[in-house]
DNA sequence: GCGTGGCATTAAGCCCCTCAA
DNA sequence: TTGAGGGGCTTAATGCCACGC
């Protein structure tokens, strides 16, 4: 099921562990997307999973006529905990309190940084990128030369300004939280955010001359490592595919499930995939009618790895 | 994205919460499948999610040249914890220790029950289903009449025997665990298993005459509520779809992603779906060649709920 | 960079008791 | 009798920090 090219050594060995359980596999892929690609915190992912489980419990609670004990027994937790969970969910549903979910593909405190930077430290062509009275013009030149080409219009700032920026960002991202859940920006958290920004090459660090380094904004998007634009559509496609399959479980008449397994000669492959692609388009063109019911088709074809 | 028929009231309101985050939605659907349908414990689902996150961390650790601190900062956890996690994973990879995963679609302690029951309390046609010297023949008849038709060949047993059965089952299911992680069957856990078995109608309870109830085996499969045979293929389809999409991210030449959105007139729908279905089959037949590369096609079509 | 120590808090588990409908 | 609600308990893990190498 999992692919094992030499560049993905991790997957190979995990294969043994995740083995036959599809749910474990999906969870692993989700963790990868959320944490490794999008940069969500470890704890945030755990919280999101817990929240999902709590919602499931809440559904059972409703189905079982709001019987705390029975719900608890069905899912093996204390009725006391069930009650807390029910309160938590209802608080979210009725009073708009927030549950601990990931909320968006990328953490807000990461997405927002480039804009805040530009706002706080704008730069116009012709001006010096770095304003620092302790440095000679030639030193400033050295710093500016280390910037890659085509960086956004923003000044190069020093470490203190950078930390200030992160703190401001943290405040903003917390403004949507209820007061009791807000926390000051801890050192560990700050280090984490900085590491994420550097790792994703949104921000670059420029060594200063024996002092704390400078920071430059390298691009406007916080993007995960790898082909970010595709990475995100994957999750959305999977979510939609999941939804469609669930509808199929209910045997809705308007849902089609199709799974084909076949062997294709390597030399035919390209042609086969192209033909399939145009078959689908022709089909869609043929049946499309303005004002009809909106439909979606999700398809994936590729190498079959397990039977 | 989520469907909101009156029979799925839960989904409607959760929609507001899970809103725009595809990962949160997938997590919720997974929790539903694992806990509500398959009957996995709440804690087991949380453990599985944690394990998935740990695997992701371990991959980062390998990628970052086994740098504990950097890995910790990238995912916002203590290097101390990273180290523990690395040891845990390596213990699983190298020494075959077990990670806390769901492992199979249904919990083993539930699947195994019918077979153990038949083995411990076999029954042959013609014999009485219930052997109990304290009851009169007419009382025994009353009990047997409460059994639904077509139950498996197994005796009706009393509460003590039932508990014994669960304990035996628990021992067996723990035999694969390392000694230090084994736990005695707690009362709460036993209640949970019993509730699951009754809820899924694998086992039925028959009230006794003022005493502890009897138990009857109602069918051989522990199956979740609803259309179980479809419910499970959903998860497997989604896992495979996910895998294919991930391959697509890497821009492999042998992977095709197709997404079509269109509007279909309701009266055309059935024909459109049928035509699509046969288009795919014809395509598969045309290109199938023995000995070629094994390929798989996963497709879902249905109502589009969000744009 | 790594390794060590400490700290508070939360929550998953276990169990027992009493009270009311 | 069963559910609700209260109590008290252990263990683990998420977080925070600081110190020394």
């Amino acid at each position: 099921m999992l692919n094992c090219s030499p560049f993905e050594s991790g997957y190979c060995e995990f294969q043994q562990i995740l083995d036959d359980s599809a749910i474990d596999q999906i969870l692993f892929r989700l963790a990868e997307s959320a944490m490794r690609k999008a940069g969500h915190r470890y704890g945030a992912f755990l919280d999101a999973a817990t929240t999902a489980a709590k919602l499931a419990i809440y559904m059972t609670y409703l189905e079982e006529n709001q019987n705390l004990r029975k719900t608890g027994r069905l899912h093996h937790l204390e009725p006391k905990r069930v009650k807390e969970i029910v309160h938590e969910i209802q608080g979210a549903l009725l009073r708009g309190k927030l549950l601990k979910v990931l909320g968006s593909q990328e953490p807000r405190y990461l997405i927002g940084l480039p804009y805040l930077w530009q706002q706080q430290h704008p730069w116009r062509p012709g001006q010096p990128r770095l304003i620092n009275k302790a440095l000679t013009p030639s030193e400033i030149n050295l710093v500016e030369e280390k910037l890659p080409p085509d960086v956004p219009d923003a000044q190069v700032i020093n470490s203190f300004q950078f930390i200030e920026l992160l703190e401001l960002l943290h405040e903003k991202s917390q403004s949507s939280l209820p007061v009791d859940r807000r926390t000051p920006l801890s050192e560990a958290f700050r280090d984490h955010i900085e590491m994420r920004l550097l790792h994703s090459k949104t921000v670059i660090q420029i060594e200063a001359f024996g002092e704390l380094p400078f920071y430059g904004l390298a691009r406007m998007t916080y993007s995960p490592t790898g082909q970010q634009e595709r990475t995100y559509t994957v999750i959305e496609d999977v979510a939609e595919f999941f939804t469609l399959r669930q509808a199929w479980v209910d045997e809705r008449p308007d849902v089609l499930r199709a799974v084909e397994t076949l062997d294709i000669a390597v030399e035919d492959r390209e042609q086969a995939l192209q033909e399939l692609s145009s078959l689908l388009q022709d089909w869609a063109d043929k049946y499309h009618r303005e004002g009809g019911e909106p439909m979606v088709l999700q398809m994936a074809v590729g190498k079959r790895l397990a039977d």
Side-chain angles (χ1 to χ4, degrees), chain A residues 51-234:
Chain A
T51 300
K54 286 176 178 174
L55 289 177
I57 288 169
Y58 183 67
M59 284 191 73
T60 299
Y61 172 73
L62 292 183
E63 258 183 33
E64 299 298 332
N65 298 317
Q66 321 203 334
N67 185 324
L68 293 171
R69 240 188 171 71
K70 192 168 185 191
T71 305
R73 261 189 271 181
L74 278 170
H75 296 305
H76 188 224
L77 34 57
E78 302 255 317
K80 216 185 316 184
R81 286 283 305 140
V82 176
K83 195 178 183 185
E84 289 171 6
I85 289 169
V86 166
H87 278 144
E88 193 182 334
I89 310 280
Q90 286 182 337
L93 292 174
L94 304 175
R95 287 180 297 286
K97 291 201 178 184
L98 296 177
L99 295 175
K100 290 184 178 175
V101 291
L102 295 180
S104 61
Q105 278 161 331
E106 297 161 344
R108 302 189 197 283
Y109 50 81
L110 291 175
I111 316 176
L113 179 108
Y115 306 95
L116 193 63
W117 191 321
Q118 278 197 324
Q119 182 195 316
Q120 297 285 315
H121 306 283
W123 174 84
R124 298 205 172 280
Q127 295 179 346
R129 284 271 184 185
L130 174 58
I131 298 172
N132 188 311
K133 288 171 186 166
L135 296 186
T136 66
S138 69
E139 283 176 325
I140 286 185
N141 254 342
L142 272 177
V143 168
E144 292 193 1
E145 276 168 14
K146 287 192 185 159
L147 283 177
D150 299 325
V151 296
D153 292 353
Q155 283 183 24
V156 171
I157 59 180
N158 64 36
S159 291
F160 300 106
Q161 292 172 308
F162 184 64
I163 289 179
E164 247 177 32
L165 210 53
L166 293 186
E167 258 157 12
L168 194 56
L169 198 63
H170 183 253
E171 262 179 54
K172 285 204 172 198
S173 77
Q174 291 227 316
S175 61
S176 62
L177 289 180
V179 183
D180 58 316
R181 205 187 285 167
R182 291 186 201 173
T183 46
L185 180 60
S186 70
E187 205 184 308
F189 198 1
R190 183 157 51 70
D191 282 352
H192 164 66
I193 298 177
E194 180 180 334
M195 182 64 89
R196 269 289 148 197
L197 290 167
L198 293 175
H199 188 78
S200 66
K201 298 190 172 59
T202 309
V203 172
I204 54 168
Q205 217 173 16
I206 305 169
E207 314 112 47
F209 311 94
E211 300 182 27
L212 291 172
F214 297 110
Y215 291 84
L217 181 62
R219 61 176 177 201
M220 286 306 287
T221 54
Y222 168 81
S223 57
T225 58
Q227 293 98 329
Q228 74 272 18
E229 64 290 337
R230 289 195 167 205
T231 296
Y232 287 151
T233 54
V234 166

Side-chain angles (χ1 to χ4, degrees), chain A residues 3-54:
Chain A
N3 195 290
C4 290
S5 84
F7 299 104
E8 300 169 306
S9 61
Y11 283 72
C12 285
E13 295 127 37
F14 295 170
Q15 173 64 30
Q16 315 158 11
I17 299 170
L18 304 176
D19 209 19
D20 50 346
S21 168
I23 297 189
D24 289 316
Q25 276 191 34
I26 299 173
L27 281 174
F28 171 58
R29 293 187 179 284
L30 282 183
E32 253 207 297
S33 289
M35 291 168 50
R36 284 164 50 79
K37 292 180 181 138
H40 284 286
R41 298 183 312 106
Y42 171 56
F45 179 76
L46 299 185
D47 284 343
T50 306
T51 300
K54 286 176 178 174

